[in-house]
Each structure stands twice: as structure tokens, then as C-alpha cells.
Amino acid sequence: MSDSTVLVLGSDPPPKLDRLTGRARVRFTDEASLASRLPSADVLLVWDFTSDAVRRAWPEHGPRPRWVHTASAGVDRVLGPALIADDTVVTNARGIYEQPIAEYVAGLVIAMAKDFHGSWELQRQRRWQHRETLRLAGTRAVVVGSGPIGRAIGNTLKALGVAVELVGRRERTADPEFGRVHPTEALHGLLGPADWVICAAPLTGTTRGLFGRVEFARMKPTARFVNVGRGPLVVEEDLVAALRGWRIAAAALDVFEREPLPADSPLWDVPHLIVSPHMSGDTQGWRTALAEQFQDNFDRWAAGQPL
């Protein structure tokens, strides 16, 4: 398919697609030009996975790409009604982010359990203050999201001696890794005993606002909450109220309703809240891995093989 056109949305920095040289025409576009350029493309690579432009620009009729690949784990920013109704193949970056995000979550859990923030602050004050910290082994975690990322998080926490309950969209009673996957309807009953609540769910119409006032009220005062899924999964003002009112002990957010997080957001100053800029899956060399994954898939596409 040397006459194929690969349209790339986003170029900062541009993906290294050297293996496509002589095999496909690679063209770059921004959001403003996307709609006009989609009809001439065979493949769309959504390199800027923070963009919502595909949902707005996807044509309902006429020529359009037959394959869309997004360089992200989630596809919620890509899938609009027109693309969902289409027979275009959509693929994501499965396999790139799972373990890095699991390591990030494990790092947050360890940091909160061992009060690293307190140690750094006391060091800054030159104070020698002995403290007792939490032993992770034997604590309980609820991981919401039974896809590859949630499973990697669960397995990593299990390696630290944490008992993990996995929550997915539907119940599975013979899961080979976790024994049982609880349905979303069982979430409220699982929150009470949990020491750690980790949100790694996809953003859908039913998961938007999944964690709000009711859910935080069901957690015990010593519970910690982490969100590495999508920002709108959490009602942020309810989390702020729970932290300020000491209804939960601490939280960490890597994703937000608005990104970048505005400088005047109250989240910056909430006590016992760790804020990070949507970086949990971004390790050194991650862009190279994303480009290699796309090119591997292009080889399959060009050969007429399943993606």
C-alpha cells in the first residue's frame, strides 16, 4: 500500500515513522484542518491524544479513513456518534501504558503509606521527629477498572502484599488472576473496608461522576483515593470537601476535569492531595514505543491482517 496516506493529528513532537518511508505518504494536520483532510486519508494516527477534534470532524458520509489509531489507552476522546456508527477500525495503545501506570500507582501508595511527604517536610525544617507509618502488607485495595491497566495495578499491589478486589463493568466469577471481578453495582459495598481506592476505569456515560459525595462518605476516614483513569470520573468539588473535612485521609489525582489544571484551581491547595500533570504512564522512551507500536500495526494493515 505504497500509495496510502497516513494523516497524523498532532506534531509536537512529531512521531518517528521512518519505517513508513517509501510505503506511505505521511501528512500532518492540526485540529483546524482535520475535517478538510480526513477524506483524503486512508489511516488516521491521533498522535495528540488530548484532542477532541476527531469527534467533531469525523464525516458522516463520503470518503474517510478506514483505520484510526489513537496513541492513548482510552478512546473516549476519539469516539463520537459518527465514528461509532461507522465500520472504520479503531485501535489504541494497549500494551504501552499498563505497567508504567501500575508502577506510578504503587509509588503513590507507598509514598502515602510511609509518609514520605512528612519526612521531606521535616527534613526541610531540620526536625528529627520519629513517626510510625502504615504497613502495606495486609491492607485492602479496591481497583475500579478491570481492563489491562486496572489488572496491572492490581497485580502490582498484590506483589506488595495488598489484598485486591477488582471492579469491572460486569461480574466474572472465575477470573484467572483475581478469582472474582465485581460488577460496578457492587462498588458501594466494597468501599467501606478498603484502605486504598484506585480508579482506573474508562470514561463512559455510566462512569462519569462515578466518585462523588456518596462514594467518599462510604470510605473510612483512613482511606486513600487515587485516580489515574479520567478526570470526569470524579466530582472534584466532592473530593475537595471530603479531604478538607477529613472524611478520607488523602488522595492523589493524575487526571482532571480540565487539563492543564488552571492555576486558580482549588485543587492545588487542598491538604493531603497529591497533584500530578497526567504523567502516570509517561516513562522515558514512551513516544518511541508508541511510534513503533503504530508501525507494527501498519505492517499488519498493509498485509491485510487483523490489527
Side-chain angles (χ1 to χ4, degrees), residues 17 93 116 140 161 170 177 187 211 213 239 253 290:
L17 303 175
F116 287 164
R140 302 178 65 86
R170 58 177 62 92
E177 293 179 302
L187 175 61
F211 285 93
R213 178 181 57 82
L239 175 61
L253 298 179
L290 286 170

Side-chain angles (χ1 to χ4, degrees), residues 15-262:
K16 296 180 180 179
L17 303 175
D18 299 343
R19 286 163 49 193
L20 301 190
T21 301
R23 305 176 62 202
R25 295 182 296 270
V26 178
R27 302 287 185 263
F28 290 87
T29 185
D30 56 16
E31 292 186 348
S33 302
L34 178 63
S36 64
R37 305 193 72 173
L38 279 173
S40 62
D42 300 289
V43 178
L44 173 64
L45 168 58
V46 185
W47 188 247
D48 179 8
F49 51 77
T50 66
S51 173
D52 295 321
V54 177
R55 292 205 320 233
R56 300 190 299 269
W58 194 260
E60 295 184 8
H61 308 288
R64 52 202 181 275
R66 308 318 303 159
W67 168 34
V68 173
H69 178 82
T70 178
S72 63
V75 295
D76 51 281
R77 290 186 178 274
V78 173
L79 291 181
L83 182 51
I84 291 173
D86 208 339
D87 58 358
T88 294
V89 175
V90 178
T91 57
N92 68 346
R94 179 171 180 165
I96 302 297
Y97 297 106
E98 287 89 326
Q99 194 55 37
I101 293 177
E103 293 170 3
Y104 198 89
V105 170
L108 289 170
V109 167
I110 292 172
M112 288 190 280
K114 303 307 177 183
D115 190 28
F116 287 164
H117 175 78
S119 293
W120 291 326
E121 178 59 24
L122 290 168
Q123 178 181 343
R124 188 187 66 80
Q125 298 175 18
R126 298 174 179 264
R127 291 174 55 195
W128 182 275
Q129 182 177 322
H130 181 270
R131 289 146 17 254
E132 295 179 349
T133 61
L134 177 66
R135 179 178 177 177
L136 275 178
T139 61
R140 302 178 65 86
V142 172
V143 178
V144 183
S146 61
I149 292 175
R151 287 178 174 277
I153 292 170
N155 283 320
T156 302
L157 292 179
K158 286 199 297 182
L160 296 172
V162 179
V164 175
E165 301 286 358
L166 193 64
V167 177
R169 187 173 59 176
R170 58 177 62 92
E171 183 176 23
R172 292 193 292 274
T173 57
D175 188 83
E177 293 179 302
F178 295 90
R180 180 183 182 187
V181 177
H182 301 272
T184 305
E185 304 81 63
L187 175 61
H188 283 183
L190 296 169
L191 292 175
D195 301 291
W196 312 96
V197 179
I198 316 296
C199 183
L203 179 61
T204 67
T206 58
T207 61
R208 184 177 294 271
L210 182 63
F211 285 93
R213 178 181 57 82
V214 173
E215 288 71 30
F216 295 126
R218 288 180 175 270
M219 298 179 197
K220 57 187 179 182
T222 55
R224 279 87 166 176
F225 175 77
V226 177
N227 184 20
V228 290
R230 286 288 185 265
L233 295 167
V234 176
V235 182
E236 291 176 351
E237 56 266 35
D238 291 348
L239 175 61
V240 169
L243 288 166
R244 292 194 184 280
W246 285 98
R247 292 194 287 278
I248 61 173
L253 298 179
D254 186 55
V255 288
F256 302 87
E257 181 77 38
R258 290 182 59 192
E259 296 183 7
L261 187 65

